[in-house]
Amino acid sequence: SQTIHQWPATLVQPVGSPLSLECTVEGTSNPNLYWYRQAAGRGLQLLFYSVGIGQISSEVPQNLSASRPQDRQFILSSKKLLLSDSGFYLCAWSSTNTEAFFGQGTRLTVV
Amino acid sequence: DQQVKQNSPSLSVQEGRISILNCDYTNSMFDYFLWYKKYPAEGPTFLISISSIKDKNEDGRFTVFLNKSAKHLSLHIVPSQPGDSAVYFCAASGAGGAQKLVFGQGTRLTINP
């Protein structure tokens, strides 16, 4: 069966520090991969999605970037965090025309 | 531009009654619609979906209705149970062939005993 791993579960980082969140999927090949963010009291905003290795689509201009170095690995990064980057970050995967399955999320607090 | 909208931020329903959660969308190219349930500090879990070629899909206590002409879908939960208390998100995909999911803002459902 397919599983998705996302870590860390919680993270507190100072303003201006770098960020790296990692997500890996097991049990499937060539998944579509997504990074979403849920800001406090708001819905799920799609940040990045990828349909293959090295293929990244950015949905909103922001202080973050994403990379897909391997088929089942998706990384969310920032060189310098801002206070506004605080939120709940979710990684997800899907196959063609199916529902997306989410990881447990990372609570990022920038202080 | 909010392509998927859930206009009710919260809903309170008595246990045993029907819960009806609503969702509207603006992009007529969406062809696949989904509902997710989310507890605090957890990732959303998939509940039920419907393709644009259907107008109803049922799975146990959960039924999703799609009205394409009105660009509206709803989730019915009957009977409602205390464990159903969570935030519910509707999502849509397929616009322009894209498989990415576009989510609404969510509705917090509270089931009262």
Side-chain angles (χ1 to χ4, degrees), chain A residues 32 34 36 38 59 100 103, chain B residues 34 36 38 43 46 99-101:
Chain A
N32 298 320
Y34 311 86
Y36 285 87
Q38 183 182 20
E59 291 298 298
Chain B
L34 310 91
Y36 283 81
K38 185 182 183 300
F46 169 74
Q99 296 161 20
K100 58 183 180 180
L101 293 181

Side-chain angles (χ1 to χ4, degrees), chain A residues 20-55:
Chain A
S20 180
L21 300 181
E22 188 164 344
C23 173
T24 59
V25 181
E26 296 177 357
T28 186
S29 297
N30 197 31
N32 298 320
L33 296 173
Y34 311 86
W35 278 111
Y36 285 87
R37 176 173 60 199
Q38 183 182 20
R42 303 194 53 188
L44 298 172
Q45 182 185 36
L46 179 61
L47 302 176
F48 300 96
Y49 76 98
S50 171
V51 298
I53 296 174
Q55 301 179 60

